[in-house]
Amino acid sequence: MDRSLSSRFLVARFLLLPIGMVCLFGSQLTRQSTAPAGPFTDVRASSGITYRQRNGAIGGKELIETFTSGCGLVDYDNDGLLDIYMVNGAATPSLRKEGPEYSNRLYRNLGNFKFVDVTQVAHAEGRGYGMGVAVGDYDNDGFPDLYITSFGQNQLLHNRGDGTFEDVTEKAGVGGGGWSTSAAFFDYDRDGYLDLFVARYVVYELGKHPRCGDQKRSLFSYCLPDLFQPMTDLLFHNNHDGTFTDVSHTAGIDRARGRGLGVTVGDYDGDGWQDIFVANDRGRNFLFHNKGDGTFEEVGLPAGIAYSMDGVARAGMGTDFGDYDQDGWLDILVNDFETEGTALFHNLKGQFFTDVGGEVGLRDASYPYVVFGGKFVDYDNDGFLDIFAVSGHTQDDITAYKPDITYPEPKLLFRNVGGRFRRVEDGPGGVLGRLKVSRGAAFGDLDNDGSVDVVVNDTNDFPEILRNMAGGKNKSLLIKLVGTNSNRDGIGTRLEVHYGNHVQILEAKSAASYFAANDLRVHVGLGTSPQVDVLVLHWPSGRAQTVRNLAAGYLHVISEDRGVISSTKLTVKPTDASNVP
Amino acid sequence: MNRGLRKLANAVRVLGCWAALASLTGGPTLAQNAETGFNQALQAFRAGDRQKAVTVLEAVLKAYPDHAPSHELLGLSLSALGENPEALRHLREAVKLWPDQPVYWINLAILYLRQSRTDEAEKALKQSLEVEPSAPAFRLLGLIRLDQNWGEDAVRLFQKALDLAHDEPESWYYLGLAQQSLAHSEEALHCYEEALKRAPGDFHTQLQMGSLLLSRGQRHQALEHLRVAQAIRPQDAEVYQRLSEAYLGNGDLQQALESARRGADLRPDNCEVHYQLGLVLARLGKSEEAKKEFAISEGLPKKPETTPLERWRALLGEALRNNGPKP
């Protein structure tokens, strides 16, 4: 009897299998067509982007493997669409791009989230073991150039304006050396030309590190950075002739040594001069105050941003300046390590900062994660800066040490609600909860619909091209600056955006997040307001300019000497906003 | 055999040996002598005279080498005198002779923990739980998990400890720490509140509660707890550092300065306190003084992070004394 029951059961199973398969496929189809509406959706698979990051790990547990790589957004061909530059690692221990799989990649944006790989044609493969990228038009020729940081020599790729780049590192004198991480183009002396700041990490030699981990359990892991000496950062002054001079010493930058990872620039004290913030790993953060005479003073300690509230050094990574509470002063976001929590240094009128990360709800939500890339971004265009960050542990065997923690981690999206941040999560299958080992994250409007999209570089994985589905429910506009006396990109321009009862303070910059270069255009979320009533621009040259009645839904190009020179309608898709958190 | 019967059988075995020995050596006198000797040692142990306890117990064990309670008490006494390898030997002997005595296993685990032999401690605690589930064993296992950064399991174990002894403030406190390790601040605050209901005078809970509230920006509530902690331990530098942070956050610069100065006076070797003092001085516009404090802070070694288990280990001597032998 048992046997007959069993055989009947077997028959039933075989009979059911095809039906089950139909049901399975059917349910997948259904799921695809009714995918949960999240604020972002990953369109990489259909975008034509096939790049896959390689960190070159072969078991030696070289520290460089766990920090790379970043990415950048750059409209290299000036066609109005942001292109994507992905930085890649290299083979170890050669540190050479031994095959095409290690090449950096430049993807030209064809529109509608379609991209084509133009790396070879553009001569943008890069060399060595890449870390991050900075974007800026250092020679004011109207075409954005690329600066690629590496473990070893960095690389300056001059945009020739014909769709190709030329390696001008040697001529320009910006090769640096050691282990460079994030970099920023900005005009620290306001002479109309972009200078270059490069953060550096630790003194490191491949194969020379101790064997770290838990020997009792035969766990071989990445060493803590404390074992390695911190480095000085670099500042290169632009000589206006295609060359730079290393002024790290005379400018006072090399007086501080840290394990620099994240860099951002902004005028935190409102004196008209761009300052530099460096998020350091396991050491105090730096705030280089620009004294306006070509020198900087590191004021992190008295300003209160060096350590956590209780005086402990954290592991600073991605960072950004932004006025999250609209009090007119730029605050500082710093992504930190697991059990540290994201820091938000609230600016107390340009003199001091206090970490309000716990107070505003960031600390607890970020506490379990190692948060790398991330910045302020008004993802829903409601007029208030939200925060988008990506994470992934540094130890690939972390679960052996901490069973609650995984190597891949989720993304963190925080919505700004009256100065407090609430975590936004999407449902099963959503991109926010999906676990990845993410590093660099670059932010910009890839489809010119007025909403900020995100590109994420994931370790040994495909990147994520996250299309913003949430911005369409509010109004927004983009501003592209064209400097004439100031640097061509207008980097460092402060924008006072007045609409209704709101005033937003924004600054034009590319450097923020982690190892990343972001959209140089200034994105302004306007909530329900149909226009910006008054826009006051404070250009780095010192010129103040007022523009009125800028309509929402447009990209406005504003020249330093001619005002608005064009307004192009954005491809806003309001239907994208249905059921989106 | 069920647990009760097994315990009884073992007790008969252990006690039966002494009875047999007594009958062979001339009646109850020797057994009574063993008990008398043990009780004498216990009195000395409780009075803090560990050396006397050791002398008496060694004599008892010379005559009665299988007397499990004497092995246990000798282990505890030797441990208090810092003779850990010998202490461990006697506690191991005690559990071998009387494996169904859960407290012996727990004390053995404590000795292992004192020597950072976490794996062996864990095994001993599991043995103890097999004999009889108890709050101390769950709590210690929870601490081990917390030390291993396994917060979720630590929460589960502390909750089990509370299921068995709901009113033990220690378990609430440690459950709070475990919740905090998972960034569950609301739950942690609830646990500390429960702990304080039962032991309002506990310094560690008041400080932890105050610090957590402070990190959440709830400065006024934080100050209430920190002031209580200050009253309990007016010589603790960390309390003054936290008080200074809270006052600074409230814009009360003078109070912030006083607290920071007091903290720095109490712990001139603490870099965090000097950093805090520097911050306050900078806010007061005293840049030169601030610079000096920052320089002192930067020149001092950074305080190594201590885990809950390490903190707890430091209190183990006290714990052992309080635990005492329970034959």
Side-chain angles (χ1 to χ4, degrees):
Chain A
M1 184 167 173
D2 278 349
R3 196 177 300 143
S4 67
L5 268 178
S6 171
S7 52
R8 278 214 321 261
F9 177 61
L10 277 173
V11 171
R13 275 178 64 192
F14 281 117
L15 282 172
L16 282 171
L17 187 60
I19 301 167
M21 283 173 73
V22 170
C23 291
L24 181 67
F25 293 146
S27 69
Q28 279 182 338
L29 285 172
T30 310
R31 255 205 309 277
Q32 270 186 348
S33 58
T34 59
F40 289 87
T41 186
D42 187 356
V43 297
R44 201 277 311 165
S46 61
S47 69
I49 292 176
T50 56
Y51 155 89
R52 194 175 176 141
Q53 201 272 351
R54 310 267 174 184
N55 71 358
I58 52 169
K61 296 289 179 186
E62 301 294 352
L63 205 53
I64 54 172
E65 298 158 8
T66 197
F67 287 93
T68 188
S69 345
C71 48
L73 301 180
V74 51
D75 181 9
Y76 83 102
D77 54 357
N78 276 343
D79 66 353
L81 291 167
L82 278 180
D83 310 298
I84 297 175
Y85 192 74
M86 305 300 300
V87 181
N88 208 346
T92 59
S94 72
L95 298 177
R96 285 200 298 267
K97 295 195 182 297
E98 289 179 355
E101 70 271 26
Y102 289 114
S103 168
N104 298 344
R105 296 294 173 90
L106 176 63
Y107 283 101
R108 183 169 175 238
N109 191 341
L110 304 175
N112 292 319
F113 286 99
K114 302 291 179 198
F115 296 83
V116 62
D117 187 342
V118 294
T119 312
Q120 277 192 311
V121 178
H123 308 303
E125 296 94 336
R127 56 171 152 76
Y129 199 103
M131 287 287 153
V133 60
V135 170
D137 181 6
Y138 76 92
D139 58 348
N140 292 334
D141 66 354
F143 290 91
D145 310 296
L146 297 174
Y147 184 75
I148 302 151
T149 60
S150 304
F151 176 63
Q153 282 274 301
N154 302 325
Q155 203 177 8
L156 179 61
L157 296 181
H158 174 242
N159 188 336
R160 294 199 281 213
D162 61 357
T164 68
F165 289 89
E166 178 188 5
D167 186 343
V168 295
T169 313
E170 205 172 324
K171 179 193 162 201
V174 290
W179 183 344
S180 302
T181 54
S182 292
F185 278 112
F186 75 125
D187 183 8
Y188 77 88
D189 55 353
R190 294 168 41 180
D191 64 355
Y193 281 80
L194 290 177
D195 311 298
L196 179 62
F197 181 87
V198 184
R200 295 195 296 178
Y201 193 52
V202 295
V203 178
Y204 189 83
E205 266 187 273
L206 241 56
K208 298 281 175 67
H209 59 87
R211 194 177 171 88
C212 299
D214 184 345
Q215 291 184 356
K216 274 199 294 187
R217 293 194 288 157
S218 303
L219 293 173
F220 180 29
S221 311
Y222 292 108
C223 293
L224 289 178
D226 313 43
L227 294 177
F228 308 99
Q229 288 301 311
M231 292 193 84
T232 55
D233 301 319
L234 300 171
L235 180 64
F236 296 100
H237 177 251
N238 191 327
N239 301 326
H240 311 183
D241 59 359
T243 70
F244 290 77
T245 301
D246 184 344
V247 294
S248 312
H249 183 67
T250 51
I253 296 297
D254 70 357
R255 277 178 217 153
R257 275 177 190 273
R259 299 181 184 89
L261 287 176
V263 169
T264 190
V265 289
D267 180 10
Y268 77 91
D269 58 349
D271 64 357
W273 298 92
Q274 292 275 289
D275 310 296
I276 310 162
F277 178 79
V278 183
N280 283 314
D281 190 8
R282 295 178 77 91
R284 62 184 171 91
N285 298 316
F286 297 152
L287 181 59
F288 289 107
H289 175 239
N290 188 338
K291 292 161 78 174
D293 60 359
T295 68
F296 291 81
E297 182 182 7
E298 202 287 291
V299 297
L301 281 164
I305 55 85
Y307 296 116
S308 69
M309 189 178 70
D310 45 2
V312 176
R314 288 183 282 197
M317 287 176 278
T319 186
D320 194 14
F321 272 117
D323 181 14
Y324 81 95
D325 59 347
Q326 296 191 354
D327 66 352
W329 298 95
L330 296 180
D331 311 296
I332 305 175
L333 171 76
V334 189
N335 293 325
D336 287 309
F337 206 75
E338 157 220 340
T339 73
E340 294 176 343
T342 293
L344 179 55
F345 290 104
H346 180 233
N347 188 335
L348 304 173
K349 298 185 178 171
Q351 293 294 306
F352 305 103
F353 291 82
T354 183
D355 183 3
V356 296
E359 199 167 333
V360 301
L362 288 176
R363 187 176 172 277
D364 277 5
S366 57
Y367 190 83
Y369 307 115
V370 181
V371 189
F372 277 86
K375 70 185 289 292
F376 289 115
V377 54
D378 182 4
Y379 84 97
D380 55 358
N381 289 332
D382 67 353
F384 293 92
L385 290 176
D386 312 296
I387 294 166
F388 187 108
V390 302
S391 62
H393 211 281
T394 49
Q395 298 288 358
D396 50 8
D397 55 357
I398 187 61
T399 307
Y401 296 92
K402 301 183 176 186
D404 294 340
I405 309 286
T406 58
Y407 180 41
E409 293 181 332
K411 283 161 195 65
L412 302 171
L413 176 61
F414 296 102
R415 182 160 185 257
N416 185 340
V417 183
R420 290 185 65 82
F421 290 88
R422 286 198 194 140
R423 187 170 174 188
V424 178
E425 296 184 81
D426 48 14
V431 297
L432 298 177
R434 189 170 64 184
L435 303 183
K436 293 276 182 180
V437 183
S438 300
R439 295 295 181 256
F443 297 77
D445 186 355
L446 289 168
D447 58 344
N448 289 338
D449 69 346
S451 303
V452 180
D453 310 296
V454 190
V455 175
V456 187
N457 204 346
D458 295 335
T459 300
N460 290 328
D461 204 346
F462 294 109
E464 295 168 86
I465 311 298
L466 303 181
R467 180 184 182 184
N468 187 329
M469 309 297 284
K473 60 185 169 187
N474 282 309
K475 298 190 184 303
S476 66
L477 56 79
L478 293 174
I479 296 166
K480 180 176 177 178
L481 301 174
V482 181
T484 48
N485 291 326
S486 303
N487 66 85
R488 174 78 182 228
D489 294 326
I491 289 176
T493 303
R494 177 168 279 220
L495 295 88
E496 286 175 31
V497 185
H498 300 255
Y499 61 97
N501 298 321
H502 295 271
V503 183
Q504 286 189 50
I505 300 293
L506 301 164
E507 284 192 356
K509 65 175 187 289
S510 170
S513 183
Y514 174 86
F515 292 17
N518 305 285
D519 195 345
L520 274 165
R521 300 171 301 180
V522 180
H523 166 262
V524 187
L526 293 170
T528 55
S529 180
Q531 67 170 24
V532 167
D533 302 324
V534 178
L535 172 66
V536 182
L537 299 108
H538 300 275
W539 292 83
S541 64
R543 177 177 184 153
Q545 182 181 42
T546 302
V547 178
R548 296 179 193 281
N549 304 328
L550 291 173
Y554 282 83
L555 162 68
H556 302 281
V557 180
I558 301 175
S559 157
E560 186 175 4
D561 56 3
R562 289 190 287 150
V564 179
I565 53 176
S566 72
S567 295
T568 310
K569 197 164 174 53
L570 297 170
T571 56
V572 181
K573 300 179 190 68
T575 49
D576 284 348
S578 58
N579 299 321
V580 169
Chain B
M1 198 185 295
N2 70 29
R3 186 181 294 147
L5 280 175
R6 204 170 61 217
K7 279 176 75 174
L8 184 62
N10 268 296
V12 167
R13 183 172 62 79
V14 174
L15 297 171
C17 288
W18 304 334
L21 186 66
S23 65
L24 284 173
T25 53
T29 320
L30 280 177
Q32 281 168 359
N33 283 348
E35 287 304 304
T36 309
F38 174 81
N39 285 330
Q40 204 183 333
L42 185 57
Q43 272 182 359
F45 180 89
R46 284 187 174 152
D49 191 347
R50 276 31 170 194
Q51 194 54 60
K52 186 181 173 189
V54 169
T55 308
V56 174
L57 290 165
E58 278 174 348
V60 171
L61 286 171
K62 204 169 181 183
Y64 306 99
D66 289 344
H67 191 231
S70 291
H71 278 292
E72 195 234 4
L73 185 54
L74 182 54
L76 296 178
S77 304
L78 288 167
S79 167
L81 291 169
E83 294 179 36
N84 286 326
E86 269 300 286
L88 209 49
R89 190 174 71 76
H90 284 285
L91 273 166
R92 279 206 202 106
E93 193 60 25
V95 296
K96 199 167 117 190
L97 290 165
W98 200 345
D100 286 343
Q101 177 52 265
V103 176
Y104 290 6
W105 287 109
I106 291 174
N107 282 332
L108 178 63
I110 289 172
L111 272 194
Y112 279 132
L113 285 176
R114 192 175 232 182
Q115 295 172 47
S116 301
R117 293 163 69 170
T118 313
D119 292 347
E120 286 148 302
E122 184 170 340
K123 277 182 198 154
L125 290 168
K126 284 179 176 166
Q127 288 283 350
S128 168
L129 288 171
E130 215 164 272
V131 178
E132 185 178 62
S134 68
F138 279 123
R139 201 162 52 226
L140 283 169
L141 263 181
L143 276 165
I144 290 173
R145 290 288 179 269
L146 207 47
D147 194 53
Q148 292 168 334
N149 297 298
W150 196 348
E152 283 174 22
D153 210 41
V155 165
R156 182 183 66 80
L157 289 160
F158 291 131
Q159 270 164 348
K160 284 200 166 198
L162 281 168
D163 289 344
L164 292 167
H166 190 73
D167 278 328
E168 282 192 0
E170 264 195 345
S171 296
W172 282 111
Y173 170 71
Y174 286 121
L175 180 58
L177 286 187
Q179 295 286 13
Q180 238 187 298
S181 80
L182 297 169
H184 298 163
S185 296
E186 292 290 344
E187 291 85 344
L189 285 176
H190 168 72
C191 292
Y192 298 142
E193 275 166 17
E194 291 294 326
L196 289 177
K197 271 186 214 165
R198 291 158 177 87
D202 184 74
F203 169 78
H204 292 289
T205 315
Q206 292 285 6
L207 178 60
Q208 200 67 27
M209 180 95 168
S211 302
L212 180 55
L213 287 164
L214 186 57
S215 76
R216 289 161 55 94
Q218 294 168 262
R219 284 182 286 273
H220 291 290
Q221 289 158 277
L223 274 171
E224 286 174 24
H225 291 279
L226 293 171
R227 284 180 186 134
V228 176
Q230 180 198 10
I232 299 167
R233 285 198 190 173
Q235 302 299 314
D236 190 288
E238 192 180 348
V239 177
Y240 291 99
Q241 187 192 334
R242 299 276 176 260
L243 279 168
S244 177
E245 286 167 22
Y247 288 130
L248 186 65
N250 281 346
D252 189 345
L253 297 182
Q254 275 312 319
Q255 291 264 48
L257 182 64
E258 278 170 32
S259 296
R261 278 203 200 285
R262 181 88 175 108
D265 287 346
L266 287 166
R267 284 291 306 276
D269 59 340
N270 183 301
C271 60
E272 283 93 358
V273 175
H274 286 285
Y275 171 70
Q276 177 63 25
L277 181 53
L279 278 185
V280 180
L281 288 166
R283 290 278 287 274
L284 284 163
K286 300 180 176 180
S287 329
E288 288 311 309
E289 284 180 68
K291 270 185 193 165
K292 277 183 199 161
E293 291 301 327
F294 289 136
I296 294 170
S297 171
E298 293 292 291
L300 287 167
K302 301 294 170 208
K303 190 173 69 179
E305 276 182 40
T306 51
T307 66
L309 187 55
E310 283 166 339
R311 281 196 290 276
W312 190 82
R313 258 185 218 130
L315 301 172
L316 271 183
E318 199 179 328
L320 277 171
R321 277 196 298 281
N322 294 340
N323 231 13
K326 294 180 182 71

